[in-house]
Amino acid sequence: MDILINASEYITLNAIFAILAAGLFGLFVGAIPGLTATMAVALLVPFTFFMDPIPALAMMISVGASTIYAGDIPGVLLRIPGTPASAAYVDDSYALSQQGKTNYVLGLGLSTSVIGGIIGAIVLTFASPLLASFALKFSSFEYAWLALLGLSCSTLIAGQYIVKSLLALLLGLALATIGYDEFTGQPRFTFGQVALLEGVSFIPAMIGMFAIANAIEYYATRRHAQPIARPVGTPEKATFNILAGIRPALKKNRVGIARSSAIGTLIGVLPGAGADIAAWISYAVAKKFSREPEKYGKGSEEAVINASSSNNASLAGSYIPTLVFGIPGDSVAAIVIGVLYMKDMQPGPSLFIFHPEKLYAIFMLFFIANLALLPLALIVVNFLKRLISVNKDIIYPVVIVFSIVGAFAMNNSMASVVVMLVMGIIGYYLQKYQYPIAPVILGMVLGPMFEKSLLSSLIKSDGNWLAFVERPISAFLALLFLVVVVMQAKSIIQTFRQRA
């Protein structure tokens, strides 16, 4: 109790102001396709030079939470995920918007993001040492199985296009192999282009396949397009309260929210996993447990509720290894570690010993930052929501400009812009012939993780494949992967029989 009292002394007006200012900044950054949470946090680092430790960390925490949620906004309005974490359920949120439920889906995303963030903060506060020690037991063997489990999500979210989903996944994996081989140092599939030595950058590729592909599709079909009809279904009342009417859905899906928040927190604990993988896996798990799996990808409330609660919960989870052992849970946490060192707060066990009051102040900041997201988002969302009534001849040029800026900002190189444009053309043709884009993104995210873990494991075990199932955790993950494969094999066989 004395620690909590001492910790509360650090929650000053400066810390609250930092949370509010960073939250507003994160909402605007996250709503721009291509500008990620990592970029938003990195942009705020110079401001922390002249701040006390707790307000500085308050900025980091608040901007991370708000940016992840804000990625839902362009997804709902334009079917363009603002951040990678929003890509898993962008089809569902956009479909709900087209049914006249724009306020409703934005309110669902906001409320479940806050709930997931609070659940993650509770776990962070009470289970940090236990979960961090569990994450330290993960070696390359466990990460290989975890990556395979993530890749298997491509068939879980495929719907009726299972074969096309697998082909799209293979395209994503192929793109992930471009660049230097980490183990041999040899360039692969670069065709003599220096710009490809670092590989195909994920963020420009994602911007291209969602934003640019949609813009190409619009301009390619607008001459023959019918006048835009109002969204089907019962029109929404004009209101600024996007939280109105969401309570029944939250009550109905309370088990799913708890399950997805737990999944998100656990995945966040694993270094390198991140909110995007948490969203994909929670989406796939929710679909398997759903009584209406056929709605997934076509406007499922469950999909939005489960995935959005998971990706915000993963943010708190990523701080567990960061604070307890100094191991960054994701790229945002890696920046936070730098800020901690800069403020003479070395992350690790010594933080619990020498600065326990500051540590608990950080825990409090997580609760405050997530609660502050509610009023901040209500203001900003209703401002950005007006984009849906603007003529798309105006919207798409602006989207293209912001996409170019976001792609260029990744490494200040025109090569990223070229990658974005090429991937936009590929994405357009994939959509035209009904190949899902999500598995391509999934392959690009998990491909490098799987390759690195697989090769590291084979080197350590001297080529002994049995080493992948000798450790208890890796054996459990292998069994889980086998179960998923068998379940999906039945779905594929059933699909072919129906076509025959």
Side-chain angles (χ1 to χ4, degrees), residues 9-16 18-19 44-60 339-340 342-345 358 361-362 365:
E9 296 176 359
Y10 288 93
I11 310 301
T12 61
L13 288 177
N14 287 338
I16 301 298
I19 287 175
L44 288 182
V45 169
F47 293 94
T48 65
F49 294 162
F50 312 101
M51 299 175 66
D52 292 332
I54 299 305
L57 289 172
M59 289 180 64
M60 304 287 102
V339 174
L340 286 171
M342 186 173 63
K343 299 300 180 182
D344 293 325
M345 292 175 61
K358 292 183 179 180
I362 294 172
L365 291 175

Side-chain angles (χ1 to χ4, degrees), residues 268-312:
V269 172
L270 306 175
D276 43 348
I277 295 177
W280 285 111
I281 292 180
S282 293
Y283 184 101
V285 171
K287 184 176 180 180
K288 270 299 172 186
F289 282 96
S290 175
R291 295 180 179 178
E292 299 175 318
E294 68 279 358
K295 289 187 177 181
Y296 277 63
K298 302 176 183 178
S300 171
E301 295 177 8
E302 289 182 6
V304 176
I305 288 172
N306 283 272
S308 59
S309 60
S310 179
N311 56 26
N312 265 48

Side-chain angles (χ1 to χ4, degrees), residues 5-299:
I5 295 174
N6 294 333
S8 62
E9 296 176 359
Y10 288 93
I11 310 301
T12 61
L13 288 177
N14 287 338
I16 301 298
F17 177 77
I19 287 175
L20 297 176
L24 283 172
F25 175 74
L27 286 169
F28 279 101
V29 171
I32 300 174
L35 302 186
T36 64
T38 304
M39 187 182 300
V41 172
L43 290 173
L44 288 182
V45 169
F47 293 94
T48 65
F49 294 162
F50 312 101
M51 299 175 66
D52 292 332
I54 299 305
L57 289 172
M59 289 180 64
M60 304 287 102
I61 293 168
S62 180
V63 76
S66 59
T67 306
I68 290 295
Y69 165 69
D72 293 355
I73 300 172
V76 173
L77 300 178
L78 299 170
R79 197 179 163 266
I80 302 170
T83 60
S86 303
Y89 51 99
V90 66
D91 288 335
D92 294 277
S93 59
Y94 183 73
L96 287 169
S97 175
Q98 293 302 293
Q99 296 169 19
K101 298 180 179 179
T102 303
N103 288 338
Y104 185 69
V105 68
L106 287 172
L108 282 180
L110 173 60
S111 58
T112 51
S113 293
V114 172
I115 293 171
I118 290 176
I119 291 176
I122 292 172
V123 176
L124 170 67
T125 303
F126 294 102
S128 293
L130 177 63
L131 289 177
S133 62
F134 174 75
L136 286 178
K137 295 178 181 178
F138 270 64
S139 66
S140 58
F141 298 101
E142 285 78 14
Y143 276 112
W145 288 117
L146 184 66
L148 279 175
L149 277 170
L151 291 171
S152 66
C153 292
S154 64
T155 55
L156 290 174
I157 63 179
Q160 59 181 325
Y161 303 111
I162 294 179
V163 176
K164 288 185 176 181
S165 179
L166 288 173
L167 292 175
L169 176 64
L170 291 176
L171 173 61
L173 291 173
L175 292 171
T177 62
I178 296 175
Y180 270 118
D181 186 329
E182 288 190 31
F183 291 86
T184 65
Q186 296 297 316
R188 302 179 300 187
F189 309 115
T190 59
F191 304 103
Q193 299 296 317
V194 176
L196 291 178
L197 290 175
E198 294 184 3
V200 176
S201 184
F202 166 68
I203 297 299
M206 189 196 75
I207 298 173
M209 299 197 81
F210 283 104
I212 302 301
N214 283 354
I216 294 174
E217 183 181 12
Y218 171 72
Y219 287 114
T221 58
R222 67 173 177 169
R223 288 186 179 180
H224 309 288
Q226 298 294 324
I228 299 175
R230 300 301 300 171
V232 298
T234 304
E236 291 182 304
K237 296 180 180 179
T239 176
F240 283 96
N241 183 15
I242 61 174
L243 300 178
I246 65 171
R247 182 178 296 179
L250 296 180
K251 184 177 180 180
K252 178 182 176 182
N253 292 279
R254 58 186 181 275
V255 175
I257 293 173
R259 180 184 63 233
S260 296
S261 298
I263 292 174
T265 306
L266 289 171
I267 292 175
V269 172
L270 306 175
D276 43 348
I277 295 177
W280 285 111
I281 292 180
S282 293
Y283 184 101
V285 171
K287 184 176 180 180
K288 270 299 172 186
F289 282 96
S290 175
R291 295 180 179 178
E292 299 175 318
E294 68 279 358
K295 289 187 177 181
Y296 277 63
K298 302 176 183 178

Side-chain angles (χ1 to χ4, degrees), residues 430-458:
L430 287 174
Q431 291 185 71
K432 183 177 180 180
Y433 295 103
Q434 296 183 319
Y435 282 84
I437 291 177
V440 181
I441 302 299
L442 193 64
M444 293 185 68
V445 171
L446 291 179
M449 176 181 174
F450 175 64
E451 181 186 23
K452 182 178 180 180
S453 301
L454 177 65
L455 295 178
S456 297
S457 300
L458 289 174

